């Protein structure tokens, strides 16, 4: 196996790489730095392959990976796709600033769901301290709130509608998450940018301390 990998690395061609993805992989048990790996992979239409893998998910690790690919490959990149991990964003902006940086939909949606769930948990704690009856509005609502609105049906839908009719922060956070789904339907960069600006303004106006993840999403997406 080692011989095969060494032969492949010696003979592989890195010409014509225009689009790469950068991501982390979790392995083993625990959430320590050593439980993460950084991977760089090519995702051009005609070639999809793993290019490099390194320990941890730090700026130093990603810079090492880009150095292995070489300056000619890095400067020839037209597109880079990554999640919203700040270490990756910093390195890609500094070392591959000429490339259009694409934030993948999966991780943006994940951040949105985490923000809604954080608001729900914080508000549930406050309501329990105030009144058990008011807290019932959020009881057993975690998964209905994390699902796409069109997939919530039956009793869960009725309870969700009742929650949306309230003035709770959780309802506002959920509506913002659902509203953002329209972003993926745009084909015009001009209209997509207009929608993003308007959505970020709404999020900033509605957000409280419990909605800080939504604000982080806004800042990162607008900066990219």
């Amino acid at each position: 196996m080692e011989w095969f990998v060494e032969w492949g690395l010696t003979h592989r061609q890195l010409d014509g790489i225009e689009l790469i993805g950068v991501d982390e992989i979790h392995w083993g048990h625990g959430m320590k730095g050593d439980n993460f790996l950084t991977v760089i992979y090519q995702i051009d239409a005609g070639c999809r392959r793993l290019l490099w893998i390194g320990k941890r998910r730090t700026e130093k690790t990603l810079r090492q990976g880009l150095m292995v690919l070489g300056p000619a490959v890095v400067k020839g990149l037209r597109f880079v796709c990554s999640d919203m991990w700040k270490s990756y964003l910093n390195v890609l902006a500094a070392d591959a600033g000429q490339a259009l940086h694409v934030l993948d939909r999966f991780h943006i949606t994940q951040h949105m769901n985490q923000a809604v769930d954080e608001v729900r948990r914080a508000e549930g704690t406050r309501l329990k301290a105030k009144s058990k009856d008011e807290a019932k509005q959020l009881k057993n609502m975690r998964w209905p709130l994390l699902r796409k609105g069109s997939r919530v049906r039956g009793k869960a839908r009725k309870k969700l509608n009742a929650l949306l009719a309230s003035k709770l922060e959780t309802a506002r956070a959920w509506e913002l998450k659902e509203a953002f789904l329209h972003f993926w339907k745009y084909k015009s960069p001009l209209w997509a940018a207009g929608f993003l600006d308007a959505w970020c303004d709404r999020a900033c106006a509605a957000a409280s301390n419990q909605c800080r993840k939504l604000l982080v999403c806004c800042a990162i997406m607008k900066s990219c």
Side-chain angles (χ1 to χ4, degrees), residues 22-25 36-40 50 52-58 61-62 88:
V22 177
D23 208 344
E24 80 268 4
I25 294 177
F36 290 91
L37 303 172
T38 293
V39 295
I40 302 175
L50 177 66
W52 185 84
I53 186 166
K55 294 181 179 180
R56 306 176 74 88
R57 52 174 179 171
T58 62
T61 301
L62 181 54
Y88 295 161

Side-chain angles (χ1 to χ4, degrees), residues 111 114-116 118 209-218:
H111 277 276
Q114 288 174 350
V116 172
E118 185 175 298
N209 291 332
Q210 286 70 39
C211 295
R212 59 184 177 276
K213 280 188 179 289
L214 285 174
L215 296 178
V216 170
C217 288
C218 293

Side-chain angles (χ1 to χ4, degrees), residues 113-181:
N113 284 333
Q114 288 174 350
V116 172
D117 197 48
E118 185 175 298
V119 174
R120 178 193 62 81
R121 287 187 280 109
E123 191 165 40
T125 301
R126 294 198 306 274
L127 291 177
K128 283 181 181 178
K130 182 180 178 181
S131 169
K132 290 185 177 181
D133 290 335
E134 291 186 26
K136 287 182 180 179
Q137 297 179 81
L138 296 176
K139 188 176 181 180
N140 299 325
M141 288 300 294
R142 180 186 181 189
W143 297 115
L145 288 167
L146 295 183
R147 289 194 189 98
K148 189 176 179 181
S150 59
R151 296 179 180 176
V152 182
R153 300 184 178 89
K155 293 181 179 179
R157 184 73 223 189
K158 291 181 179 179
K159 194 169 182 180
L160 178 60
N161 290 340
L163 175 62
L164 297 178
S166 70
K167 296 182 179 180
L168 295 180
E169 291 181 356
T170 304
R172 294 201 300 272
W174 185 88
E175 288 175 340
L176 283 167
K177 180 201 73 162
E178 288 294 299
F180 193 81
L181 293 175

Side-chain angles (χ1 to χ4, degrees), residues 3-217:
W3 175 86
F4 188 82
V5 172
E6 289 176 2
W7 187 93
L9 291 174
T10 301
H11 293 83
R12 74 173 177 176
Q13 298 294 322
L14 296 177
D15 299 333
I17 298 178
E18 295 184 339
L19 202 163
I20 65 169
V22 177
D23 208 344
E24 80 268 4
I25 294 177
H26 178 265
W27 70 284
H29 301 284
M31 299 297 289
K32 296 181 180 179
D34 290 335
N35 291 119
F36 290 91
L37 303 172
T38 293
V39 295
I40 302 175
Y41 46 93
Q42 182 181 1
I43 46 179
D44 283 290
C47 184
R48 298 169 186 259
R49 56 176 172 164
L50 177 66
L51 296 175
W52 185 84
I53 186 166
K55 294 181 179 180
R56 306 176 74 88
R57 52 174 179 171
T58 62
E59 293 186 16
K60 180 180 179 181
T61 301
L62 181 54
R63 284 200 172 94
Q64 288 176 344
L66 295 179
M67 286 178 62
V68 171
L69 296 182
V73 173
V74 175
K75 294 304 178 183
L77 296 174
R78 295 180 58 208
F79 303 94
V80 178
C81 181
S82 80
D83 62 14
M84 299 167 78
W85 185 244
K86 190 170 180 60
S87 297
Y88 295 161
L89 297 178
N90 291 340
V91 173
L92 293 173
D95 296 358
Q98 83 287 350
L100 178 64
H101 194 166
V102 180
L103 300 177
D104 73 71
R105 179 173 180 172
F106 171 82
H107 286 95
I108 292 176
T109 301
Q110 185 181 55
H111 277 276
M112 295 284 181
N113 284 333
Q114 288 174 350
V116 172
D117 197 48
E118 185 175 298
V119 174
R120 178 193 62 81
R121 287 187 280 109
E123 191 165 40
T125 301
R126 294 198 306 274
L127 291 177
K128 283 181 181 178
K130 182 180 178 181
S131 169
K132 290 185 177 181
D133 290 335
E134 291 186 26
K136 287 182 180 179
Q137 297 179 81
L138 296 176
K139 188 176 181 180
N140 299 325
M141 288 300 294
R142 180 186 181 189
W143 297 115
L145 288 167
L146 295 183
R147 289 194 189 98
K148 189 176 179 181
S150 59
R151 296 179 180 176
V152 182
R153 300 184 178 89
K155 293 181 179 179
R157 184 73 223 189
K158 291 181 179 179
K159 194 169 182 180
L160 178 60
N161 290 340
L163 175 62
L164 297 178
S166 70
K167 296 182 179 180
L168 295 180
E169 291 181 356
T170 304
R172 294 201 300 272
W174 185 88
E175 288 175 340
L176 283 167
K177 180 201 73 162
E178 288 294 299
F180 193 81
L181 293 175
H182 293 287
F183 178 76
W184 307 112
K185 298 179 181 179
Y186 286 101
K187 296 182 179 180
S188 165
L190 180 64
W191 285 101
F195 172 87
L196 182 59
D197 287 338
W199 185 91
C200 288
D201 290 341
R202 279 188 62 196
C204 290
S208 64
N209 291 332
Q210 286 70 39
C211 295
R212 59 184 177 276
K213 280 188 179 289
L214 285 174
L215 296 178
V216 170
C217 288

